[in-house]
Amino acid sequence: ESIDTEHAFQLGLVDTIVESGDVDSHIEGLLRRWEPRSSATRFIKSNLLPREPTNAHAMGTVMGTWMGRDKEVKTDDRRVLDVSINDGVAVLTMCDDVYQNTMTLEMTAALRNVTPLLRREARVIVLCSSLSNFHVGLNPNVARKWKNRSPFEIAADMKESYMGFVELANLGIPLIGVLNGKVYGGGLPIALWCDYRICSSDTDVHFGNLSRGMSPAGQLSRLLREYLSPQDIMETYLENSHWKADDLMRLRLVSEVMPTKDAALAQATKLAKFIRGHPSQAVRDTLHLVKLSYAAELADEESWLIAKKISDGSEPFSTSKHRSFPSGRQGRSVATKPPPDISMPNSPPFHGGTTGIIAMELYTPAYAISSDALEAQDIPAKKKQGQDAVAVWDAQEDSISMALNAVSLLLERHVTDPYKIGRLEVGTESNVDMAKSIKSYLMDLLPNDHYNVEGVDNTNACYGGTAALLNTLAWCQVTGRYGIVVAADTADMDVKDSAWRGASAVAMLVGPNPWIEIHPERMSCFKNTHDFLKPRYSDQITPVMKTKASMDYYIHALDYTLENMKAEHLIDAESFDAFVFHGGLCATFMRLIERHVVQAVNAPKAWRRNFELAREAASQMGGLYTASMYVNLLSLLSNIEASDDDVNHIGLFSYGSGSTATLLHATIHHDRAHSIDLKRIIAARETVTFDTLLKVVEKEGRSAVFQRKPGVFYRDVTDQDVARSYFQEGGRRLVGPPIDVCKTRRNLASSTPSTRDSVSLSARHRIIAGIGLVLASVYWTVAVALRSERALQTFGYGSIVLVVCLATHVAVHWAVRYNGFNVRGSSTTLAHYLLGVTSFLTYAILFAAG
């Protein structure tokens, strides 16, 4: 664009206009005047004038600014910025509901108007938005209106529209940004100019210039390089990538993620008050030394390049679609798209990033008894407890075998590299050994050379699973590795209390990019109560319970955590789309808690429907102890994923008698969900009769009642040794003591209290074997002394039977358990042999005497 000399003179671009023939004499006159002041001239040339030629692109913006310096900027008087300052903390709220927080001259004017006030009174500034989006850059309608203007004018206005934010960021006052919703295009440099950024979980940051046909503005090209390499920036630009909240945490573009915009603002205000309480000059000096400085020439060049695209007909903003390119690459530090399946991502360590439950798998016994069958025996399962059915299992299954099944499903379906598992932790209240953990058995499911796996069992009534989860979440945050959490229990009951029976195991893969993101804010309630006990040597199977007191303790813990979650973290349960809680031992208990919660927090109507969905599985499975809340969560998720219900932010309340409780909140990322067909799992179970249940309880811990299912882990009930062993039906996977097991097990069995079945088995068989040996010895001594033909003949038959018995027993162990020859010298095994021989000798004595 060209201008005549008169116009240039008016603009101040030239100092003097002379005729072409007078140029030489004019220059000679200037030189004579400068000659006496040569030192000053050299100083100006060396120190004040640019050492290098000014960028031509930058000069375009400079010229436009110069040309419009006397032009009055026309702005309307609409409210675009709310300002509040309280005790040194200034909160600037962008509220341009007309142009939806886009680049406008009105916003710059508003920011400049408030600058003097900020300099006087503010020690910390919080920048946020009252709208559903933080800032979305240049308004496409404004860009279209600018199309017929000169590029100088466009460049000048483009720069002016965001200079208010640049000047705000360079006041020397700490600036905290609260991001929410969309942060697109020019909104990104505004966010990056902030010294500390907190975002809500719905934040969507989009570089966006590829689809908009734009280039960076607001010094974005340099700001991004503070966080990403040039290659990463170009990959992000060319793939038109979107960054969600967890991506922003991983890239360190934000420092905290909060569930809602209000929670993010509350956290920012708390930080601002904390900063305000410290000497301000040190903060200003640190900002001066550390913060990226404003580069005027770069900002001018960026504005000019945008102005040229608008004025030359390149038609930026010609599309409203801003989809990302599905590159299919995983593991890149700036990757923002979730992997196509929920197999373990191959991402770098994510220290400090968001964590949660990546995947879940459930195991429940293959047999159940209906509430009608229990009601027929005057056991109030339906009317009083609200159950439709409860699980039934025999001696072949226990909490260890169920944990093995759940973890094996998780590893098979969701873990591509088991060596990335660095922690495996279990929550249970029904382990069968007082010393050996269930976790130790689960190690046999991992590669046999993978030893660096931390974690043990957590026991406190129904709370152990949540204790294991919290431990593993914290561990994942610190180490950047993956963990597995298992909640496994069997609720064994006396026959009269069978309506409370139940069993299941839930295994969870924990790590980054989760399906269920567990937020750090939580509230707990711990105290000493005696409402639910399992004395070690009790004669009854059913736990010792004080049901009324237990209900009171539960409700107190629930009320306390709800109230203090709101008071301390500003998280109101009313903001949850659904509320999932520990379900106790029956569905009736859950309904009582549901009614209490609805009244306590003025719950949304949608909660009632979600309560039913969460309760659905447990009403078919019974009391689940540590797995209860997680089965309810799975029940809810499996139903809402199938129906596309809008459930995103949920509350989770875990409780264990004694008493322990924690209230958590989580965000559901539906794009990372996987399918768990609970309805199919429950429908596939076989229903048993009450007589079968009686048989199970009578033979509890001693022998099998049910037929085994292929692929399922079971306990080897034929092995009555102290150390339990497990096998996979139809497979070759074995879990238990190795072949060269400790040879001192005889001493353990005779001197150490163990479980009820092993102690009684060993003692009973020793007595029988001892009596049999004494009687047999007396008989053979007398028979041989008298040389009775019948006695000698019987002795021959007995010897043959003894050899056959020994050979058969060893063959069974060889073929079924070890798949190899093994003779083990424990007293329990010897008792088996002697019992068989003694039985034969008894008949032989009777026969000889007759």
Side-chain angles (χ1 to χ4, degrees):
E1 181 174 335
S2 61
I3 57 176
D4 56 30
T5 55
E6 290 294 335
H7 192 189
F9 180 75
Q10 293 173 1
L11 293 173
L13 298 177
V14 297
D15 296 300
T16 307
I17 300 175
V18 298
E19 297 294 335
S20 58
D22 297 333
V23 172
D24 292 340
S25 61
H26 183 75
I27 292 176
E28 289 176 1
L30 288 175
L31 292 176
R32 283 194 300 270
R33 290 195 297 273
W34 288 349
E35 188 174 4
R37 303 175 179 84
S38 58
S39 59
T41 305
R42 284 194 300 272
F43 175 80
I44 292 171
K45 183 177 180 180
S46 301
N47 296 280
L48 301 184
L49 296 180
R51 296 175 183 271
E52 297 178 359
T54 303
N55 188 307
H57 291 157
M59 281 305 300
T61 305
V62 173
M63 184 173 180
T65 303
W66 182 270
M67 293 168 64
R69 70 189 187 282
D70 296 325
K71 183 178 63 176
E72 182 180 354
V73 178
K74 295 181 179 179
T75 60
D76 56 38
D77 58 354
R78 71 177 187 277
R79 184 172 62 91
V80 297
L81 186 71
D82 284 337
V83 181
S84 66
I85 301 179
N86 183 16
D87 197 14
V89 176
V91 178
L92 307 186
T93 306
M94 298 179 288
C95 54
D96 187 355
D97 53 4
V98 175
Y99 286 100
Q100 296 297 302
N101 287 354
T102 55
M103 297 287 192
T104 62
L105 299 177
E106 286 81 3
M107 184 65 74
T108 296
L111 288 169
R112 284 176 173 163
N113 289 338
V114 78
T115 295
L117 179 63
L118 296 175
R119 289 186 186 277
R120 289 194 310 270
E121 300 183 16
R123 295 182 61 180
V124 186
I125 300 172
V126 176
L127 179 64
C128 61
S129 166
S130 65
L131 308 183
S132 59
N133 303 315
F134 176 74
H135 200 288
V136 291
L138 181 62
N139 189 319
N141 291 326
V142 172
R144 296 184 186 102
K145 292 178 181 178
W146 285 354
K147 184 176 180 180
N148 297 321
R149 301 171 65 194
S150 72
F152 304 104
E153 295 176 314
I154 297 174
D157 283 354
M158 181 67 214
K159 179 182 176 182
E160 183 71 4
S161 64
Y162 63 74
M163 278 305 296
F165 293 103
V166 176
E167 293 166 4
L168 177 69
N170 286 275
L171 286 176
I173 303 174
L175 179 61
I176 303 173
V178 178
L179 314 185
N180 69 286
K182 294 177 181 178
V183 184
Y184 283 8
L188 181 53
I190 294 173
L192 295 182
W193 274 115
C194 296
D195 305 301
Y196 192 100
R197 291 168 292 279
I198 303 174
C199 76
S200 60
S201 59
D202 66 342
T203 303
D204 176 16
V205 174
H206 185 35
F207 192 169
N209 287 329
L210 182 71
S211 54
R212 287 171 174 75
M214 297 290 284
S215 53
Q219 207 170 322
L220 178 61
S221 53
R222 185 167 298 177
L223 288 167
L224 275 178
R225 295 185 68 167
E226 294 290 303
Y227 302 90
L228 305 176
S229 68
Q231 178 184 351
D232 287 337
I233 294 172
M234 288 309 300
E235 286 178 354
T236 299
Y237 168 68
L238 295 175
E239 291 181 3
N240 211 36
S241 297
H242 287 252
W243 289 324
K244 302 300 183 183
D246 52 351
D247 304 309
L248 297 173
M249 279 293 293
R250 188 175 66 251
L251 299 172
R252 304 303 297 159
L253 292 175
V254 300
S255 300
E256 295 184 73
V257 177
M258 306 299 288
T260 64
K261 179 178 67 175
D262 291 341
L265 178 58
Q267 184 72 356
T269 304
K270 288 173 62 176
L271 175 62
K273 292 178 180 178
F274 173 79
I275 297 171
R276 179 204 58 200
H278 295 79
S280 60
Q281 189 56 50
V283 176
R284 290 175 181 271
D285 292 343
T286 302
L287 288 175
H288 170 71
L289 294 171
V290 174
K291 191 168 183 175
L292 184 68
S293 59
Y294 171 60
E297 186 170 337
L298 176 61
D300 290 337
E301 182 178 4
E302 289 178 335
S303 298
W304 175 256
L305 293 174
I306 291 175
K308 290 293 290 181
K309 284 187 282 290
I310 293 175
S311 63
D312 67 6
S314 298
E315 294 189 7
F317 303 102
S318 59
T319 178
S320 60
K321 297 179 180 179
H322 306 294
R323 293 173 296 181
S324 299
F325 173 71
S327 67
R329 290 180 292 111
Q330 298 178 28
R332 182 164 59 83
S333 63
V334 295
T336 65
K337 298 171 284 298
D341 56 30
I342 65 96
S343 298
M344 181 180 298
N346 185 27
S347 58
F350 59 102
H351 312 287
T354 58
T355 54
I357 301 169
I358 299 173
M360 304 175 76
E361 288 296 338
L362 168 76
Y363 174 80
T364 192
Y367 299 90
I369 185 170
S370 69
S371 58
D372 293 336
L374 294 175
E375 290 282 355
Q377 303 297 324
D378 295 328
I379 297 174
K382 184 70 174 179
K383 296 178 182 178
K384 184 176 180 181
Q385 312 301 348
Q387 290 296 127
D388 295 319
V390 296
V392 180
W393 62 100
D394 63 6
Q396 299 177 103
E397 296 194 87
D398 56 22
S399 54
I400 300 172
S401 68
M402 294 183 191
L404 286 167
N405 285 307
V407 174
S408 64
L409 288 172
L410 189 76
L411 291 171
E412 177 185 344
R413 297 175 181 177
H414 307 294
V415 177
T416 56
D417 182 3
Y419 288 94
K420 288 187 177 180
I421 302 298
R423 188 178 188 88
L424 203 169
E425 196 153 356
V426 178
T428 186
E429 61 172 284
S430 51
N431 192 2
V432 298
D433 195 289
M434 306 308 296
K436 184 175 174 60
S437 67
I438 294 177
K439 179 270 178 80
S440 60
Y441 286 92
L442 300 177
M443 287 297 296
D444 282 354
L445 297 178
L446 297 175
N448 56 16
D449 60 345
H450 184 27
Y451 304 118
N452 187 21
V453 183
E454 298 180 3
V456 288
D457 290 3
N458 294 262
T459 300
N460 190 101
C462 303
Y463 187 80
T466 297
L469 177 62
L470 294 178
N471 292 343
T472 304
L473 286 169
W475 181 88
C476 289
Q477 288 272 356
V478 172
T479 65
R481 300 176 69 190
Y482 294 85
I484 290 176
V485 173
V486 186
D489 267 310
T490 57
D492 299 283
M493 300 287 167
D494 291 306
V495 174
K496 63 183 177 61
D497 300 315
S498 291
W500 286 336
R501 290 180 65 86
S504 69
V506 176
M508 296 166 271
L509 177 63
V510 177
N513 300 317
W515 171 20
I516 305 158
E517 177 187 341
I518 307 296
H519 297 294
E521 302 81 21
R522 62 176 183 261
M523 185 55 58
S524 293
C525 178
F526 283 61
K527 56 184 177 179
N528 182 24
T529 65
H530 300 82
D531 54 308
F532 185 95
L533 302 169
K534 291 183 178 180
R536 186 178 298 183
Y537 300 113
S538 175
D539 293 332
Q540 70 180 51
I541 302 175
T542 301
V544 177
M545 292 182 284
K546 299 177 181 178
T547 53
K548 176 63 170 63
S550 190
M551 172 71 80
D552 292 340
Y553 295 141
Y554 186 110
I555 291 177
H556 173 264
L558 178 60
D559 290 343
Y560 176 87
T561 53
L562 287 171
E563 179 181 346
N564 286 275
M565 190 74 149
K566 182 177 181 180
E568 185 167 329
H569 298 298
L570 302 181
I571 297 174
D572 194 334
E574 293 182 22
S575 66
F576 300 152
D577 299 323
F579 191 72
V580 179
F581 53 87
H582 169 69
L585 290 173
C586 63
T588 296
F589 176 85
M590 286 189 274
R591 290 189 177 94
L592 292 173
I593 299 301
E594 289 165 11
R595 287 196 290 270
H596 177 80
V597 171
V598 168
Q599 295 172 357
V601 302
N602 191 25
K605 292 182 179 180
W607 278 26
R608 298 181 185 275
R609 169 61 177 160
N610 291 330
F611 280 146
E612 294 177 4
L613 300 179
R615 194 192 325 123
E616 186 177 276
S619 65
Q620 297 282 345
M621 297 163 66
L624 304 176
Y625 289 164
T626 59
S628 175
M629 186 185 76
Y630 302 98
V631 169
N632 292 345
L633 175 59
L634 272 175
S635 181
L636 172 67
L637 293 178
S638 63
N639 279 294
I640 64 172
E641 296 297 345
S643 63
D644 294 328
D645 285 355
D646 187 19
V647 175
N648 300 303
H649 185 209
I650 65 171
L652 299 169
F653 179 72
S654 177
Y655 180 83
S657 293
S659 69
T660 56
T662 296
L663 175 63
L664 305 163
H665 69 118
T667 296
I668 309 301
H669 297 281
H670 298 281
D671 56 339
R672 301 170 189 166
H674 67 91
S675 174
I676 295 182
D677 193 350
L678 282 184
K679 287 184 171 62
R680 180 191 59 79
I681 294 172
I682 292 173
R685 299 182 305 177
E686 296 182 26
T687 302
V688 301
T689 64
F690 184 75
D691 290 339
T692 303
L693 175 63
L694 288 176
K695 189 183 300 183
V696 167
V697 175
E698 290 169 359
K699 295 186 176 183
E700 193 257 333
R702 292 186 292 277
S703 59
V705 175
F706 296 134
Q707 182 179 358
R708 295 190 292 268
K709 304 294 183 181
V712 176
F713 281 92
Y714 292 99
R715 175 193 166 203
D716 183 1
V717 293
T718 65
D719 177 20
Q720 300 292 349
D721 208 344
V722 173
R724 296 193 176 197
S725 57
Y726 298 82
F727 64 93
Q728 189 176 30
E729 178 69 11
R732 295 178 60 84
R733 302 191 72 170
L734 307 174
V735 176
I739 294 175
D740 56 345
V741 71
C742 178
K743 296 181 180 179
T744 62
R745 192 180 294 146
R746 175 177 61 255
N747 298 329
L748 287 173
S750 61
S751 62
T752 304
S754 184
T755 54
R756 181 192 311 165
D757 59 330
S758 60
V759 170
S760 61
L761 179 69
S762 300
R764 185 169 63 251
H765 283 194
R766 285 194 188 92
I767 293 171
I768 295 174
I771 294 174
L773 279 174
V774 172
L775 293 176
S777 299
V778 172
Y779 171 74
W780 294 124
T781 300
V782 174
V784 172
L786 299 177
R787 295 182 179 277
S788 168
E789 289 187 15
R790 182 172 297 178
L792 292 174
Q793 185 180 27
T794 304
F795 177 79
Y797 292 148
S799 299
I800 295 173
V801 172
L802 174 62
V803 171
V804 173
C805 178
L806 289 171
T808 303
H809 196 94
V810 171
V812 168
H813 274 262
W814 182 16
V816 176
R817 182 171 179 200
Y818 297 112
N819 206 17
F821 188 77
N822 179 37
V823 177
R824 301 166 15 163
S826 72
S827 59
T828 305
T829 304
L830 180 61
H832 278 294
Y833 300 155
L834 295 178
L835 180 63
V837 175
T838 304
S839 300
F840 175 79
L841 292 180
T842 302
Y843 285 108
I845 292 170
L846 295 174
F847 176 78

